Amino acid sequence: MKVLVIGATGATGKELVQLLLESNDYSEVAIFVRRSTGKSHPKLTEYVVDFSDVHSFQELITGDVLFSCLGTTLKDAGSKEKQWKIDFDIPADFAATAKQNKVNSLVLVSSYGASAKSSVFYSMMKGKLEEHLQELNFPQYIIFRPGPLIRENTDRFGEKISIKVIKFFNAIGLFKNLKPITTAFLAEKLVKAPKALPSGNTTLELKSILEL
């Protein structure tokens, strides 16, 4: 199978790409990035593109599975409008083009608590993206909703503290639905999902992710 990846330079995306290259289930891995990663592998094709104009490279968006891992934080984006562009507009445009080009499967990395009706901006944005992509009617549509992610060598102080707090509560039996998992573990489950899960729409909360 040929796979497409957006968000390939993020914490989860990097782990995902490496596992896809190592997997015998995938023969080609095409990543779409803003800047070259410098990565080289016989199975890897890297496209440096302008994500603000997906139509300018739409003929490249062909394959069997699209992994959508693109996302940022409000702090890094600088504003809600810029975060919406990265977390909603680009994945939505890319997925729509993939569907037009007959890509069969879409695997989306969303977030715990995603809901279009949420009063929390981030959760609302992720929920609206989930619903928007569902309307594209991919033959197979898989949504991952992990809780907090443990990123290797993260420099986000708030992230480190929040994960330590959640781990403490987990140890005394609380907030099990928010158990942190590593980006490497999530990537392993992402690689497995297209072949392990059926056609149609599947949403995986933390418990289902752990059991996959």
Side-chain angles (χ1 to χ4, degrees):
M1 288 192 293
K2 178 183 177 181
V3 296
L4 315 173
V5 182
I6 58 173
T9 59
T12 300
K14 286 179 181 178
E15 301 276 8
L16 172 63
V17 170
Q18 185 58 42
L19 291 178
L20 289 170
L21 293 174
E22 294 170 1
S23 173
N24 291 328
D25 290 331
Y26 302 97
S27 57
E28 297 179 65
V29 180
I31 63 174
F32 295 79
V33 293
R34 292 184 180 88
R35 292 178 295 277
S36 178
T37 63
K39 194 174 184 66
S40 178
H41 189 280
K43 288 165 57 173
L44 180 68
T45 302
E46 178 184 86
Y47 297 111
V48 178
V49 299
D50 177 5
F51 281 106
S52 66
D53 185 13
V54 172
H55 296 295
S56 67
F57 58 92
Q58 61 184 0
E59 73 281 357
L60 302 178
I61 307 175
T62 59
D64 301 294
V65 183
L66 167 59
F67 289 96
S68 180
C69 310
L70 194 63
T72 188
T73 63
L74 181 59
K75 180 180 179 181
D76 288 344
S79 69
K80 289 181 178 179
E81 291 76 14
K82 290 180 180 178
Q83 187 179 22
W84 186 278
K85 176 67 177 177
I86 295 169
D87 280 55
F88 185 97
D89 290 344
I90 293 174
D93 289 346
F94 202 99
T97 303
K99 180 59 168 56
Q100 290 172 5
N101 291 350
K102 303 189 185 312
V103 173
N104 183 76
S105 301
L106 170 60
V107 183
L108 172 69
V109 177
S110 186
S111 174
Y112 170 80
S115 170
K117 298 179 180 179
S118 177
S119 59
V120 178
F121 174 75
Y122 184 80
S123 298
M124 177 272 292
M125 175 177 62
K126 291 298 185 183
K128 284 188 176 293
L129 178 62
E130 288 182 4
E131 290 187 357
H132 180 82
L133 298 185
Q134 184 171 337
E135 293 174 359
L136 296 175
N137 293 313
F138 276 83
Q140 184 186 51
Y141 176 37
I142 303 167
I143 299 170
F144 277 75
R145 290 180 181 168
L149 294 176
I150 302 171
R151 297 169 173 84
E152 186 178 0
N153 301 321
T154 181
D155 58 357
R156 298 174 184 173
F157 179 74
E159 183 177 276
K160 292 180 180 179
I161 295 300
S162 63
I163 287 175
K164 286 182 178 180
V165 170
I166 293 171
K167 281 186 173 181
F168 169 77
F169 283 115
N170 287 168
I172 59 175
L174 298 176
F175 303 136
K176 290 295 187 180
N177 59 337
L178 282 176
K179 179 181 178 180
I181 59 175
T182 65
T183 53
F185 180 82
L186 176 58
E188 288 178 14
K189 301 300 184 177
L190 289 168
V191 170
K192 186 177 180 181
K195 294 200 74 173
L197 297 174
S199 299
N201 299 337
T202 305
T203 299
L204 301 174
E205 303 285 356
L206 178 61
K207 184 174 184 294
S208 298
I209 295 173
L210 295 175
E211 294 173 350
L212 180 63

